[in-house]
Amino acid sequence: QVQLVQSGAEVKRPGASVKVSCETSGYTFTDYYMHWVRQAPGQGLEWMGWINPKNGGTTYAQFFQGRVTMTRDTSISTVYMELSSLRSEDTAMYYCARAWIAAAVGFDPWGQGTLVTVSS
Amino acid sequence: DIVMTQSPDSLTVSLGERTTINCKSSQSVLYSSNKKNYLAWYQQKPGQPPKLLIYWASTRGSGVPDRFSGSGSGTDFTLTISSLQAEDVAVYYCQQYYDTPYTFGQGTKLEIK
């Protein structure tokens, strides 16, 4: 079955960087975009960007431009999201979510989430 | 950016009742080339990631019970639960994936009366 398994919780100091991984299995890795969405505690969903695992192409939300980098390793079917210059407002649950390249049919499934806490 | 506005922010409904949640986009999300609305609905239960319920505004996702239905086109959309079950307690989000940034509504919290 399709699985997206994310790396564990992180605690970071302000100004540091964090790199979250999303290991996939159960489908053809290069047939699906991977999106990243975050959710601050008690808040709604915020789209961060996507990566095309086939060619590594990316599109980032303007809000995160210059601070976010999405990469992939096709040999292990894993995507990564790195966020730099962390501030307290970046404390959130970070999710990866798959989307079919061939047709726009929403995000399905989602990873279990990675809690990133930014605190001095 | 396309702004997604849901109503109401919260609602309390009795078991077995019909429930509707509305979503309005600040511009049309109807893709002219294929006549599909790039609008999805997600359900998020406490402590869980979101789950896809509906895509293309009205197509149910895999394994989604048929008590969930979506309707609407252009800028106005509705999620309907025909007969509320206890397991439907959750926050529901609409999302447009017509144009980046792909934006979500603020969420509607559904509780049982």
Side-chain angles (χ1 to χ4, degrees):
Chain A
Q1 75 280 23
V2 175
Q3 283 195 300
L4 307 180
V5 179
Q6 297 183 222
S7 48
E10 304 263 12
V11 179
K12 296 292 182 181
R13 299 290 190 202
S17 297
V18 68
K19 191 170 186 177
V20 179
S21 67
C22 175
E23 181 180 349
T24 75
S25 60
Y27 70 96
T28 302
F29 181 63
T30 52
D31 283 351
Y32 292 80
Y33 296 118
M34 194 66 74
H35 294 259
W36 289 88
V37 177
R38 75 176 185 179
Q39 185 172 37
Q43 301 302 306
L45 301 167
E46 181 176 28
W47 180 80
M48 300 178 69
W50 57 257
I51 182 168
N52 182 342
K54 184 172 290 187
N55 57 19
T58 55
T59 295
Y60 302 138
Q62 190 158 8
F63 181 80
F64 298 99
Q65 285 279 0
R67 284 212 301 145
V68 69
T69 305
M70 297 176 189
T71 56
R72 93 293 191 210
D73 184 339
T74 55
S75 68
I76 55 171
S77 299
T78 298
V79 296
Y80 304 91
M81 187 281 300
E82 184 170 21
L83 189 62
S84 62
S85 302
L86 290 169
R87 35 212 188 225
S88 58
E89 309 90 88
D90 294 318
T91 294
M93 187 73 80
Y94 289 77
Y95 295 103
C96 58
R98 188 189 73 157
W100 196 21
I101 291 175
V105 292
F107 297 176
D108 181 47
W110 296 51
Q112 84 277 17
T114 296
L115 181 61
V116 175
T117 302
V118 183
S119 175
S120 55
Chain B
D1 297 2
I2 298 176
V3 177
M4 308 299 290
T5 304
Q6 292 181 227
S7 60
D9 290 333
S10 65
L11 69 165
T12 306
V13 181
S14 299
L15 290 173
E17 276 194 3
R18 182 184 181 90
T19 306
T20 58
I21 298 170
N22 299 301
C23 175
K24 188 174 184 67
S25 58
S26 61
Q27 64 188 76
S28 176
V29 298
L30 177 63
Y31 201 56
S32 55
S33 63
N34 61 9
K35 298 292 186 259
K36 301 286 190 186
N37 288 280
Y38 282 21
L39 187 285
W41 289 96
Y42 299 89
Q43 175 193 62
Q44 186 177 31
K45 297 181 179 180
Q48 296 185 18
K51 175 191 171 185
L52 177 68
L53 292 177
I54 301 283
Y55 61 91
W56 287 341
S58 60
T59 302
R60 270 189 300 277
S62 175
V64 175
D66 61 7
R67 64 180 181 274
F68 292 93
S69 63
S71 62
S73 185
T75 61
D76 291 279
F77 302 91
T78 299
L79 174 70
T80 300
I81 308 173
S82 60
S83 177
L84 189 70
Q85 305 298 303
E87 60 265 32
D88 300 334
V89 169
V91 179
Y92 292 84
Y93 294 94
C94 62
Q95 178 211 24
Q96 66 80 19
Y97 51 97
Y98 177 86
D99 192 19
T100 58
Y102 296 154
T103 44
F104 294 85
Q106 79 277 18
T108 295
K109 186 174 184 179
L110 176 58
E111 296 175 308
I112 304 290
K113 191 180 294 182

